[in-house]
Amino acid sequence: MNALLQPAPRRPIRELPDELISQIAAGEVVERPASVVRELVDNALDAGGREVTVKLVAGGVRSILVEDDGQGIPSDELPLALRRHATSKIASLAELEGVVTMGFRGEALAAIASVAELAIASRTEGAPHAQRLDARSGELVPAARGIGTSVEVRELFFSTPARRKFLKTDATEFAHCLDAVRRHALARPDVGFAVWHEGKLSQQWRRAAQAQRIRDVMGEEFVEQSCEVLLELGPMRITGRAGTPAAARARADQQYVYVNGRYVRDKLIAHGVRSAYEDVLHGGRQPAYVLFIEIAPDRVDVNVHPTKIEVRFRDSREVHQAVRRAVEAALAAPRAAAAAGDEAGGVAGVLLASEHLAGYSAVPAARPASFGGGSFAPSPMRPQVQGALGLQQVATLWGGGEAAPAARGASLSAVPSAPAQALDFQRDEWPLGRAIAQIGGVFVLAENQHGLVIVDMHAAHERIVYERLKASLGSAAIDSQPLLIPATFAATAQEIATAQAQADNLRTLGLDVSPLSATTLAVRSQPAALVGGDVVELARSVLAELSQYDASSVIQRAQDELLSTMACHGAVRANRQLTIDEMNALLRDMERTERSDQCNHGRPTWRQITMKELDALFWRGR
Ligand SMILES: Nc1ncnc2c1ncn2[C@@H]1O[C@H](COP(=O)(O)OP(=O)(O)O)[C@@H](O)[C@H]1O
Ligand SMILES: [Mg+2]
């Protein structure tokens, strides 16, 4: 028999030495240099620091220095700061419920000191000078520095070589450290941050307003390709920015979520965001977003994870739903409409958000969807078109608010070309411009103030039909069909409880699921559109979702999926000749339809080619 499988001879139970306890406990908090940076910056912020400087050597493995200008630590408390479970931030369990500081367990400094060399120098207001404490020797000596605190950490894991082996290259560790500071920087625009590596200033974020800080940290491109999020709902407020579906990425590397200023990775929130993108995002693409969730501190438990990166909500459905709605509303404002006015886009998003919450659909009263035929009835619009382009027919059409007889032209039925200087577009001109032609039976070309607009007519119409169907369906139930013989299956206690509690929601989804015994559920009817599928499998997955997420999002998703199939069949097919009027009607519909920038499968419905890009194509102005 293998000697390794033999149990070792029993040894008596003994208490571990303190040193070893600390080292084991440190494993929970300190994984790599970035964890140290995170904890030290947490402390600097808790102390009210306004300028935080992080200096690293060899990716932080050799040394980490974090300096702040916060309130400092009185010299007689310095030794306590390094003791395990010693904290100035909470004094009772009751205070933990309302905790607003980053730290509260009093274990970070002790943990770091047990796996690295640590020294802390601090000076409070009124103190004649700073005092420096060396954790190893316990020596306290006067030091020179202004009010605030410096913590120096050297040779991380020097005494635990096994853990040191898990560290990556200096460059990688440095990148993680930088990321740790970035996470803080996004949440605290009121604090200036500087990160040095190997004696060189690597990154600096000056104090700024929130919008500017997001720009500084996430970059111009992110801001341009994202929509403002703003939603207040009950005890919650959600702000930030959500990237457009078109700007989604292959990796989930630009997803920042904060709960009361604390960076978290929360599956529930991620799922809420994801479901907001569901019918606009292609497959495995990852949206970029920065979301700040503010919620009454007693509705969230921050003490559930060693590094506090996970939290638990008192009412997780409430949070899931709010997150989904907030992002949905931000994405819903058609960017086509936003393109016209400078900052108008953001405001439109906010208004839409509030309309949404009132249960009011922002989509204009739905006309019967034009299944198969794809007849675009022109909608009355502002009679403001100047006849300058020689587009008389269009001008009369829109001005009169009545459809001119549709003149079916050749597929390249264009308008008489106008000299460039005649393009005197007004500021509140139609964002997607005027239709000029259709090519390849697929694309509609239009001209707006920026240049050329190309529209994929099937994709665009599909979205419009879809949104209309959605608006008209509202919260009506999905058609249901009874099963001749109920399908039964062995269910868990959780599934049975959910089936009972959510009977109404299940019916809205076209499902009738009820207990047959203490361990069996019976499905008696299923959604008509899904007849023929595995009904037990369907019931199980719906029950699982209903037990985890808020019902309205599950229902919404199920409806979206059905509608999406219907819309695809209802939308105008490629290769149908459209008249200029029909094309214009399509453009106007797009401008007014939520989420019209993508089709239901997440593909873009239109693209802008600017005059500058057109010039570049022809090397003009070189
Ligand atoms: N940068 C700092 N400025 C002022 N006080 C600090 C700083 N860092 C640590 N302290 C003090 O040391 C204590 C212990 O810090 P720490 O081990 O991180 O635990 P916690 O942050 O959970 O309280 C803190 O409660 C605080 O009083
Ligand atoms: Mg701390």
Side-chain angles (χ1 to χ4, degrees):
M1 200 181 175
N2 188 336
L4 283 173
L5 295 179
Q6 299 275 356
R10 186 178 183 282
R11 288 194 293 197
I13 300 174
R14 279 205 202 95
E15 273 190 65
L16 291 174
D18 270 353
E19 166 92 6
L20 191 51
I21 294 176
S22 301
Q23 287 181 341
I24 291 174
E28 299 227 296
V29 184
V30 187
E31 186 197 346
R32 60 190 341 159
S35 344
V36 174
V37 170
R38 184 195 61 229
E39 292 292 342
L40 298 183
V41 176
D42 268 358
N43 283 347
L45 296 174
D46 282 347
R50 300 277 288 159
E51 292 293 339
V52 177
T53 306
V54 179
K55 291 183 176 164
L56 306 160
V57 177
V61 182
R62 255 305 85 79
S63 113
I64 298 169
L65 173 68
V66 175
E67 297 179 304
D68 67 62
D69 56 354
Q71 61 192 12
I73 307 170
S75 57
D76 58 330
E77 287 183 26
L78 273 176
L80 268 178
L82 301 183
R83 279 252 284 282
R84 266 194 343 132
H85 310 310
T87 179
S88 59
K89 298 170 192 174
I90 57 165
S92 69
L93 203 56
E95 281 182 29
L96 179 57
E97 276 200 10
V99 75
V100 288
T101 49
M102 296 289 135
F104 50 80
R105 294 195 192 119
E107 59 186 9
L109 291 183
I112 297 166
S114 71
V115 290
E117 289 171 18
L118 184 146
I120 178 165
S122 195
R123 179 176 175 182
T124 53
E125 205 180 309
H129 53 75
Q131 291 277 359
R132 181 178 193 272
L133 175 68
D134 183 292
R136 193 137 297 257
S137 66
E139 209 176 38
L140 195 62
V141 293
R145 68 147 294 152
I147 292 169
T149 305
S150 320
V151 180
E152 203 181 329
V153 176
R154 289 181 183 278
E155 303 299 338
L156 185 62
F157 300 143
F158 69 96
S159 59
T160 49
R163 312 216 24 216
R164 194 159 187 154
K165 278 197 212 116
F166 281 93
L167 297 179
K168 302 281 190 293
T169 63
D170 290 356
T172 303
E173 294 303 335
F174 171 67
H176 284 290
C177 291
L178 195 57
D179 214 35
V181 183
R182 182 178 292 121
R183 289 171 186 176
H184 281 105
L186 269 172
R188 293 298 302 271
D190 57 323
V191 175
F193 294 87
V195 183
W196 296 70
H197 191 213
E198 304 285 353
K200 284 202 265 313
L201 182 63
S202 157
Q203 192 65 253
Q204 184 163 30
W205 292 297
R206 294 180 197 286
R207 275 185 266 174
Q210 178 65 271
Q212 184 59 41
R213 177 57 64 84
I214 292 182
R215 193 178 291 271
D216 293 344
V217 175
M218 301 291 289
E220 193 72 35
E221 201 180 308
F222 169 77
V223 175
E224 269 169 22
Q225 304 190 1
S226 61
C227 318
E228 188 177 347
V229 176
L230 172 57
L231 177 134
E232 287 183 40
L233 191 65
M236 234 179 306
R237 182 182 148 89
I238 302 178
T239 55
R241 297 195 73 83
T244 62
R249 310 161 66 81
R251 292 195 306 137
D253 58 344
Q254 287 202 352
Q255 302 180 342
Y256 296 87
V257 175
Y258 296 82
V259 174
N260 292 345
R262 188 189 301 280
Y263 174 86
V264 298
R265 279 203 181 280
D266 184 89
K267 281 212 197 88
L268 179 99
I269 296 173
H271 186 278
V273 177
R274 187 75 215 184
S275 58
Y277 278 95
E278 195 138 74
D279 63 352
V280 283
L281 198 58
H282 209 52
R285 304 284 294 167
Q286 294 289 346
Y289 51 83
V290 180
L291 294 179
F292 303 100
I293 301 172
E294 285 153 67
I295 182 167
D298 64 347
R299 297 187 77 79
V300 52
D301 186 357
V302 290
N303 187 30
V304 294
H305 191 271
T307 63
K308 308 180 198 114
I309 196 154
E310 285 170 19
V311 292
R312 193 182 298 138
F313 296 102
R314 202 187 312 160
D315 185 344
S316 56
R317 281 167 207 223
E318 163 189 88
V319 176
H320 183 266
Q321 186 173 21
V323 166
R324 179 174 61 88
R325 286 200 189 171
V327 176
E328 234 169 41
L331 297 176
R335 278 161 62 83
D342 314 340
E343 296 299 312
V347 179
V350 175
L351 292 178
L352 273 169
S354 49
E355 284 169 357
H356 256 286
L357 290 176
Y360 168 87
S361 165
V363 181
R367 270 173 278 140
S370 42
F371 278 102
S375 66
F376 301 106
S379 6
M381 284 291 283
R382 295 161 288 176
Q384 68 196 13
V385 176
Q386 317 296 316
L389 265 178
L391 281 168
Q392 300 306 4
Q393 44 173 160
V394 179
T396 12
L397 174 64
W398 297 116
E402 218 155 275
R408 298 196 177 260
S411 79
L412 255 172
S413 66
V415 229
S417 57
Q421 55 269 37
L423 299 178
D424 184 20
F425 282 99
Q426 310 235 313
R427 279 199 66 73
D428 56 352
E429 185 55 81
W430 296 321
L432 291 178
R434 310 148 190 241
I436 45 183
Q438 178 185 10
I439 55 171
V442 176
F443 299 109
V444 169
L445 305 186
E447 179 180 29
N448 68 359
Q449 56 173 342
H450 305 295
L452 177 67
V453 171
I454 307 177
V455 174
D456 177 331
M457 66 182 207
H458 173 69
H461 192 220
E462 189 176 312
R463 168 60 75 180
I464 292 166
V465 171
Y466 174 74
E467 291 296 336
R468 275 188 202 148
L469 282 174
K470 208 154 115 177
S472 65
L473 185 63
S475 56
I478 289 171
D479 269 350
S480 157
Q481 183 163 318
L483 291 166
L484 284 179
I485 306 163
T488 60
F489 63 99
T492 63
Q494 162 84 312
E495 286 171 332
I496 292 181
T498 310
Q500 283 175 318
Q502 308 264 6
D504 287 347
N505 290 324
L506 285 164
R507 260 192 295 282
T508 310
L509 289 168
L511 275 169
D512 177 351
V513 186
S514 52
L516 207 63
S517 74
T519 53
T520 318
L521 280 173
V523 188
R524 295 169 202 281
S525 62
Q526 71 175 124
L530 298 179
V531 166
D534 182 342
V535 59
V536 169
E537 190 56 44
L538 177 74
R540 277 222 167 97
S541 65
V542 171
L543 285 172
E545 290 209 16
L546 282 174
S547 70
Q548 216 179 341
Y549 307 117
D550 73 285
S552 68
S553 103
V554 179
I555 292 171
Q556 183 75 61
R557 241 156 32 112
Q559 288 181 342
D560 288 354
E561 265 165 40
L562 287 179
L563 289 182
S564 165
T565 321
M566 286 159 76
C568 190
H569 295 299
V572 60
R573 298 274 123 209
N575 287 322
R576 203 179 83 76
Q577 298 304 327
L578 300 186
T579 64
I580 291 281
D581 308 342
E582 288 175 323
M583 293 180 214
N584 274 308
L586 173 65
L587 297 177
R588 303 295 80 79
D589 271 350
M590 286 174 68
E591 285 158 4
R592 290 175 309 144
T593 301
E594 291 183 87
R595 290 174 282 266
S596 61
D597 304 319
Q598 287 83 32
C599 79
N600 311 331
H601 308 104
R603 290 189 296 270
T605 54
W606 65 280
R607 294 277 192 197
Q608 173 85 59
I609 299 180
T610 62
M611 286 310 288
K612 222 166 130 190
E613 286 162 334
L614 287 173
D615 284 344
L617 278 179
F618 297 96
W619 303 352
R620 282 176 57 132
R622 282 224 186 147

